[in-house]
Amino acid sequence: GNQVNLSFTQIQEMMGRSKEESEIPTKIGRQHDLYTLMNKAALHNLKEFILSKSLKHHAWILSLELNMSATFLNVIPKCPSMTFDNSQFRILVNLRLFLDQPDLLPGIRCDCARNPTIDNRCHHMLTSCSKMAFGLRVHNSVLNTLKECLQSGGLMVTREPMHMFQGVFDADSQFTEKEKNMRPDLYIHGKRDSAYEVYKNIVIDASWIHPFPIYGNAPYTEEKSLTRELHGKRRLQEKRDKYEAIATANNLKFYPIIFENTGGIISESYEYLQELLKVFSGGYKEGALLRQYWKNRISCAYFHSVATEIQTKIKYLTGARYVDQRYENRASFIQESSSISYPN
């Protein structure tokens, strides 16, 4: 086997249990600790090796360490929302392992405005392609699941509310009409069955970002590759710059929820999500299993959308290429053939 050389300090750091693990009461004991330590040691060696080979691959691995990036792999397929067919699962596993997508024809160009050659791993489709509303459908799928989650906990939630920031009086001149007309993704009014103020007047805006630049000529340095959540934190700050001041002026709390395209949620946004999921704080094991169920649902909603969109886009592009080379498959030929009447 591979030799693992670790300092005592590194072993101490590895022994720390993640917040997700500490929530599940069954993940305890010496055997689990030993298994976790061995996995972390192997991961440490892998990152050292990958860093010497590919900086972007290393950034991808760091992103995979974020909370919820692997959740879809551990769910029990008891319902359609947590079940993936073979082709979807193959797409997602190849995506996670930084491998080429086998169904993509090499050298094929996207039909979006930039018209680039699609990279073999289909990372272009995750955030850089605006054609066919790819990002919008993924975004809506996750936000609708989060809305369903919060409503099941008794919260009153509205999707993309209008006139949210019109209640500014004293500092009215600070904000433009465009800013006042902004529509965040979710607005939480409060809790139906009590006057509990914790869940009142919260606005949420969510976004997805790639852990490294897909295009561009700017140098991608080792320092950037080693910095966790570099692009995620930048997007988080962009959302705060956009919403936080005007939300505060309207007596609202603002929660930016930022995912990276590995499916992982950045640490600060994960804390916000945990706060929201505290609405499930009673019942069996203080609601820990129910909170995990909804995190599973949110993760699966994202990966279902990603797999479906990549699958659909590849079929569309390769289908168009196939049709152009064969006259009998063109729409005009099919239409002409169907209009011909034959004698009995």
Side-chain angles (χ1 to χ4, degrees):
N2 294 329
Q3 185 177 357
V4 178
N5 297 313
L6 298 172
S7 68
F8 179 69
T9 303
Q10 288 172 325
I11 292 175
Q12 283 184 314
E13 291 174 353
M14 289 178 180
M15 287 298 290
R17 209 176 267 133
S18 73
K19 291 185 179 179
E20 256 193 357
E21 288 175 327
S22 64
E23 281 200 356
I24 308 301
T26 56
K27 291 187 174 182
I28 56 176
R30 297 284 185 185
Q31 184 62 41
H32 174 71
D33 289 343
L34 179 60
Y35 175 77
T36 301
L37 181 60
M38 292 170 62
N39 276 348
K40 289 182 177 179
L43 179 60
H44 173 82
N45 278 359
L46 175 65
K47 287 192 288 188
E48 291 292 319
F49 173 75
I50 293 296
L51 185 62
S52 65
K53 300 293 183 181
S54 169
L55 297 180
K56 291 185 176 180
H57 192 176
H58 183 268
W60 184 261
I61 290 177
L62 289 187
S63 182
L64 289 175
E65 293 184 275
L66 294 176
N67 285 306
M68 296 175 64
S69 71
T71 303
F72 79 102
L73 293 170
N74 300 315
V75 298
I76 300 174
K78 287 186 174 181
C79 56
S81 61
M82 295 187 184
T83 304
F84 300 87
D85 64 34
N86 290 341
S87 58
Q88 289 176 329
F89 197 73
R90 181 176 64 171
I91 287 171
L92 295 176
V93 169
N94 278 276
L95 185 66
R96 182 173 177 82
L97 297 179
F98 211 69
L99 299 175
D100 294 354
Q101 291 294 343
D103 296 329
L104 182 72
L105 295 177
I108 195 167
R109 287 188 172 273
C110 186
D111 60 337
C112 66
R114 298 182 62 172
N115 195 230
T117 300
I118 298 177
D119 59 286
N120 293 339
R121 302 181 186 94
C122 291
H123 287 184
H124 165 76
M125 299 182 189
L126 296 178
T127 51
S128 297
C129 183
S130 57
K131 193 79 171 181
M132 298 173 68
F134 179 104
L136 182 62
R137 282 199 287 264
V138 172
H139 177 271
N140 287 343
S141 176
V142 174
L143 265 296
N144 289 336
T145 304
L146 180 57
K147 178 186 175 184
E148 183 185 347
C149 162
L150 298 175
Q151 286 179 327
S152 73
L155 300 180
M156 295 180 287
V157 187
T158 302
R159 276 283 274 130
E160 297 187 358
M162 299 178 67
H163 312 301
M164 281 300 305
F165 305 121
Q166 300 290 338
V168 182
F169 298 102
D170 296 334
D172 201 43
S173 60
Q174 293 183 22
F175 307 107
T176 65
E177 284 302 313
K178 182 179 179 181
E179 289 174 320
K180 292 178 187 177
N181 290 323
M182 290 190 301
R183 299 172 64 185
D185 290 322
L186 293 177
Y187 170 46
I188 302 175
H189 307 240
K191 211 168 188 300
R192 288 191 179 89
D193 56 356
S194 73
Y196 194 34
E197 294 295 318
V198 173
Y199 298 103
K200 192 173 182 181
N201 298 336
I202 298 174
V203 290
I204 296 171
D205 204 74
S207 184
W208 281 257
I209 193 166
H210 215 62
F212 55 81
I214 301 174
Y215 300 110
N217 298 319
Y220 190 70
T221 63
E222 183 174 326
E223 181 183 2
K224 291 179 179 178
S225 176
L226 289 167
T227 306
R228 294 178 184 273
E229 304 178 3
L230 176 65
H231 293 267
K233 287 180 176 177
R234 187 191 70 200
R235 179 61 58 84
L236 182 85
Q237 190 57 48
E238 288 173 359
K239 290 292 181 183
R240 281 188 170 147
D241 292 343
K242 182 178 180 180
Y243 284 105
E244 198 155 56
I246 195 167
T248 302
N250 283 269
N251 195 30
L252 299 166
K253 288 181 286 186
F254 175 59
Y255 285 2
I257 304 295
I258 310 299
F259 289 87
E260 293 191 352
N261 283 335
T262 54
I265 182 172
I266 71 169
S267 54
E268 199 165 343
S269 293
Y270 186 69
E271 295 297 329
Y272 290 136
L273 182 61
Q274 293 282 70
E275 284 296 316
L276 293 170
L277 293 178
K278 283 180 182 177
V279 69
F280 306 105
S281 58
Y284 183 68
K285 296 191 183 297
E286 291 301 314
L289 298 181
L290 190 55
R291 290 194 294 273
Q292 188 60 44
Y293 164 78
W294 279 110
K295 283 187 277 189
N296 292 347
R297 282 282 306 274
I298 291 167
S299 174
C300 287
Y302 171 74
F303 284 107
H304 258 298
S305 294
V306 166
T308 301
E309 297 301 327
I310 289 178
Q311 190 178 44
T312 302
K313 185 79 170 182
I314 289 176
K315 284 182 178 179
Y316 171 77
L317 293 174
T318 54
R321 184 185 178 111
Y322 180 83
V323 165
D324 286 342
Q325 294 174 352
R326 291 166 175 80
Y327 181 77
E328 65 273 15
N329 288 308
R330 292 183 184 177
S332 57
F333 178 81
I334 294 171
Q335 187 176 7
E336 290 173 4
S337 300
S338 62
S339 63
I340 297 174
S341 58
Y342 297 92
N344 293 328

